[in-house]
Amino acid sequence: NHTATHLLQAALRRTLGDHVAQSGSAVLADRLRFDFSHHEAMTRDELAQVEDAVNLWVMANAPVCATEMALDEARELGAMALFGEKYEDTVRVVRAEGVSLELCGGTHCQSTGQIGCFRILHEGSAAAGIRRIEAVTGRGALQHIRQTEDVLHSVADALTCKPAEIVSRLEGLHKRISELHADLKAARELSAATSLDDLVASAQQVSGVSLVTANIPGADRDALA
């Protein structure tokens, strides 16, 4: 997961621009979290581009190596560093061949292929000007894909259609519901109009004023108007 955060940052910078910089992260056994500077929510297309880029680098199985060197040398090589972080004169540089070069003291894979698979779970706001991505790798990514497919198949079964037909089926149901609402409204208005004469005929005189009272089940404000 730590190696995956390096690939993720590289993919974000390639997709969104060089303004992207890490502002926090969490590397856990079952998932990762990465906070980065960006001014707006990412689109679905941008997220897909980032996820695809990381997975292509994973499939390339590029070697990942760590080397200690002088801080000035690391900077000359273009190694990414945390903004505001203070470093010793000798630093550890982690390189994912052809992908990323960062100052990092963490534990990493020996090659990008060991990540197995990368899947973004969520992208959202962490603070003003800061976005957050949560993701899973390896078996966790496969499990998430399977769970998503299970949900899709359950919805398809409930709608008696194939997963690929879910959207069109829902659009059809939404249209039908709108039509039924319109029919119900028209029926209520007709019922109210039909009973209007009877209501007028049942008017009572109270202090010289004609008063009509009635209970009209199901009538909304529009029908009464």
Side-chain angles (χ1 to χ4, degrees), residues 37-52:
S37 54
H38 190 53
H39 55 280
E40 61 185 357
M42 293 179 63
T43 65
R44 292 176 62 183
D45 182 61
E46 289 170 340
L47 289 171
Q49 289 181 49
V50 168
E51 192 173 80
D52 287 348

Side-chain angles (χ1 to χ4, degrees), residues 1-84:
N1 282 339
H2 201 158
T3 304
T5 64
H6 285 212
L7 303 190
L8 174 57
Q9 180 168 216
L12 287 168
R13 288 173 63 84
R14 189 175 78 168
T15 302
L16 303 178
D18 293 338
H19 65 279
V20 169
Q22 179 181 341
S23 62
S25 68
V27 180
L28 306 174
D30 60 339
R31 61 187 175 86
L32 65 90
R33 187 186 73 230
F34 189 78
D35 296 346
F36 59 98
S37 54
H38 190 53
H39 55 280
E40 61 185 357
M42 293 179 63
T43 65
R44 292 176 62 183
D45 182 61
E46 289 170 340
L47 289 171
Q49 289 181 49
V50 168
E51 192 173 80
D52 287 348
V54 173
N55 280 305
L56 286 173
W57 289 328
V58 169
M59 288 186 282
N61 197 30
V64 178
C65 60
T67 308
E68 290 190 354
M69 63 180 68
L71 178 59
D72 290 341
E73 182 182 356
R75 285 174 173 166
E76 289 178 2
L77 290 174
M80 293 285 296
L82 289 176
F83 179 76

Side-chain angles (χ1 to χ4, degrees), residues 50 66 69 92 101 108 116 142 180 183 191:
V50 168
M69 63 180 68
R92 183 170 180 264
L101 187 68
H108 287 271
L142 293 176
L180 290 173
D183 291 344
S191 176

Side-chain angles (χ1 to χ4, degrees), residues 5 36 63 65 84 88 90 94 108 114 125 127 152 159 182 190 219:
T5 64
F36 59 98
C65 60
E88 302 292 334
T90 299
V94 176
H108 287 271
Q114 290 180 320
S125 175
L152 285 174
L159 295 173
L190 179 61

Side-chain angles (χ1 to χ4, degrees), residues 99-158:
V99 181
S100 66
L101 187 68
E102 297 190 33
L103 301 184
C104 183
T107 303
H108 287 271
C109 299
Q110 294 179 327
S111 67
T112 59
Q114 290 180 320
I115 294 172
C117 183
F118 176 83
R119 183 74 171 172
I120 294 175
L121 301 181
H122 176 72
E123 187 274 343
S125 175
I130 302 296
R131 306 299 298 179
R132 170 173 294 173
I133 282 181
E134 296 181 18
V136 286
T137 60
R139 292 180 180 177
L142 293 176
Q143 183 180 17
H144 179 262
I145 292 171
R146 187 168 294 113
Q147 289 173 343
T148 301
E149 289 182 343
D150 288 343
V151 171
L152 285 174
H153 282 289
S154 296
V155 173
D157 289 343

Side-chain angles (χ1 to χ4, degrees), residues 172-188:
L173 289 174
H174 180 73
K175 180 180 179 181
R176 181 56 180 157
I177 290 172
S178 297
E179 292 173 347
L180 290 173
H181 276 303
D183 291 344
L184 179 59
K185 180 181 179 181
R188 286 175 174 172

Side-chain angles (χ1 to χ4, degrees), residues 195-206 209-217 224:
S195 61
L196 181 59
D197 291 339
D198 294 336
L199 290 175
V200 172
S202 66
Q204 297 177 340
Q205 296 295 318
V206 178
V209 176
S210 296
L211 175 64
V212 176
T213 61
N215 181 17
I216 306 177
L224 294 176

